[in-house]
Amino acid sequence: MRLKDVIISFMLVFLSAGSLYAASPVVITDNLTSLEFGKNMEYLKDDSGKYTIDDVISESREWTRAEKENFNFGFNPPAYWFRFTVDNRRISSGGWYMEINYPMIDYIDLYSPNGDGTFSVFNTGDRFLFKQRDIIDRNFVFHLNPGTGIHTYYVRFKTASSLNFKPLMWSTREFIGQKNQEFPVFWMY
């Protein structure tokens, strides 16, 4: 009987270990200005390039917790999936911006939760028309406006170029301020 208890205890610890190593949620408050949130993400390599959103959320997959704020996978043909969870504690309305700060990614699919178990998908990348972007910017920027509470987002990347980027979150005010500082520099070139 004692050996059985040890085995059951070991299995419970082993099976729950995945949740111990999951990335911590990004906490969004009214005080958010900007935030690098790469360490709050997990990623999954999709060698076949055929995983769907249903595959990555419903099947048990081996997600890797990010150890750095930026990602650099080099020239790598597989698709990659990323996920991050947001704990939105904002009282004020409006949203925030998520920026992928590398403009040479061919395909980016953002899966935004609808609250009923489904997702809205926004497709962008440098293979799409510039005017089709959610926010017209040299980088890929998405306006996200979830309700309060906890929400998990998924992002799929597929590119023939180098996959390297740093994910950033911005308040509306900080994002506009940052762009106002950047634009004059770009106008000079």
Side-chain angles (χ1 to χ4, degrees), residues 1-8:
M1 196 69 154
R2 179 122 171 105
L3 179 61
K4 181 180 175 184
D5 292 338
V6 170
I7 291 171
I8 290 172

Side-chain angles (χ1 to χ4, degrees), residues 43-72:
Y43 63 91
L44 173 67
K45 188 176 178 181
D46 178 3
D47 287 314
S48 69
K50 296 181 181 178
Y51 292 168
T52 65
I53 185 65
D54 292 330
D55 293 333
V56 298
I57 65 171
S58 65
E59 297 179 20
S60 125
R61 303 268 181 208
E62 187 94 13
W63 290 87
T64 302
R65 184 176 178 178
E67 296 178 4
K68 298 179 181 179
E69 295 295 354
N70 59 317
F71 299 94
N72 187 349

Side-chain angles (χ1 to χ4, degrees), residues 30 88 90-96 143-146 148 172:
D30 287 323
N88 186 10
R90 289 181 56 146
I91 296 171
S92 62
S93 62
W96 46 276
H143 183 248
L144 302 177
N145 192 14
T148 56
T172 300

Side-chain angles (χ1 to χ4, degrees), residues 6 13 17 21-22 26 33 41 48 50 62 78 86 97 105 112-113 118 121 124 141 158 162 169 174 179 187:
V6 170
V13 169
Y21 296 107
V26 179
T33 55
M41 298 181 92
S48 69
K50 296 181 181 178
E62 187 94 13
V86 171
Y97 294 96
I105 300 171
S112 180
T118 64
V121 63
T124 191
V141 181
K158 176 78 173 139
S162 178
M169 287 190 192
E174 192 71 17
K179 295 307 164 186
W187 292 334

Side-chain angles (χ1 to χ4, degrees), residues 16-173:
S16 66
S19 64
L20 294 174
Y21 296 107
S24 58
V26 179
V27 177
I28 304 292
T29 66
D30 287 323
N31 296 326
L32 171 74
T33 55
S34 66
L35 174 68
E36 297 175 357
F37 69 103
K39 287 184 179 179
N40 299 85
M41 298 181 92
E42 296 173 298
Y43 63 91
L44 173 67
K45 188 176 178 181
D46 178 3
D47 287 314
S48 69
K50 296 181 181 178
Y51 292 168
T52 65
I53 185 65
D54 292 330
D55 293 333
V56 298
I57 65 171
S58 65
E59 297 179 20
S60 125
R61 303 268 181 208
E62 187 94 13
W63 290 87
T64 302
R65 184 176 178 178
E67 296 178 4
K68 298 179 181 179
E69 295 295 354
N70 59 317
F71 299 94
N72 187 349
F73 294 101
F75 289 89
N76 209 332
Y80 280 88
W81 286 83
F82 288 79
R83 71 178 173 192
F84 63 97
T85 300
V86 171
D87 182 359
N88 186 10
R89 299 179 185 176
R90 289 181 56 146
I91 296 171
S92 62
S93 62
W96 46 276
Y97 294 96
M98 180 182 82
E99 178 179 6
I100 303 298
N101 72 344
Y102 184 65
M104 303 300 290
I105 300 171
D106 295 341
Y107 301 99
I108 302 173
D109 305 319
L110 171 69
Y111 293 84
S112 180
N114 292 323
D116 61 359
T118 64
F119 291 86
S120 295
V121 63
F122 189 83
N123 308 104
T124 191
D126 70 3
R127 298 293 177 117
F128 290 85
L129 294 175
F130 194 78
K131 68 180 181 179
Q132 289 179 291
R133 294 184 180 192
D134 188 27
I135 304 294
I136 302 299
D137 189 76
R138 67 185 178 88
N139 291 325
F140 301 105
V141 181
F142 305 91
H143 183 248
L144 302 177
N145 192 14
T148 56
I150 297 177
H151 310 276
T152 299
Y153 293 83
Y154 292 85
V155 186
R156 181 183 184 272
F157 293 91
K158 176 78 173 139
T159 191
S161 68
S162 178
L163 180 58
N164 62 69
F165 66 94
K166 182 186 296 183
L168 303 161
M169 287 190 192
W170 300 93
S171 68
T172 300
R173 183 181 183 96

